[in-house]
Amino acid sequence: MELTSWIILGGGLLSAAAWIWYYASLGKSISAEEKAAGRDLTYEINPFTGKK
């Protein structure tokens, strides 16, 4: 493989890792909020403002 192929492959892997980390941390924070509230907050929180 050429160097540019390795760079593209590495960038793709880093990008995928960042997306996985983002969704994992988002799920963790939502889970913590629901645990603190003691109920499912699926339709109660606006994801853009954080308000009801």
Side-chain angles (χ1 to χ4, degrees), residues 20-36:
I20 290 169
W21 186 317
Y22 171 74
Y23 281 108
S25 64
L26 183 62
K28 186 176 179 181
S29 69
I30 290 172
S31 177
E33 287 290 328
E34 288 181 341
K35 190 173 186 179

Side-chain angles (χ1 to χ4, degrees), residues 30-49:
I30 290 172
S31 177
E33 287 290 328
E34 288 181 341
K35 190 173 186 179
R39 63 184 191 279
D40 182 21
L41 301 174
T42 302
Y43 299 108
E44 294 188 29
I45 296 176
N46 184 336
F48 298 106
T49 63

Side-chain angles (χ1 to χ4, degrees), residues 2-22:
E2 294 180 14
L3 180 60
T4 55
S5 297
W6 283 107
I7 292 172
I8 292 171
L9 180 64
L13 289 174
L14 286 174
S15 177
W19 278 103
I20 290 169
W21 186 317
Y22 171 74

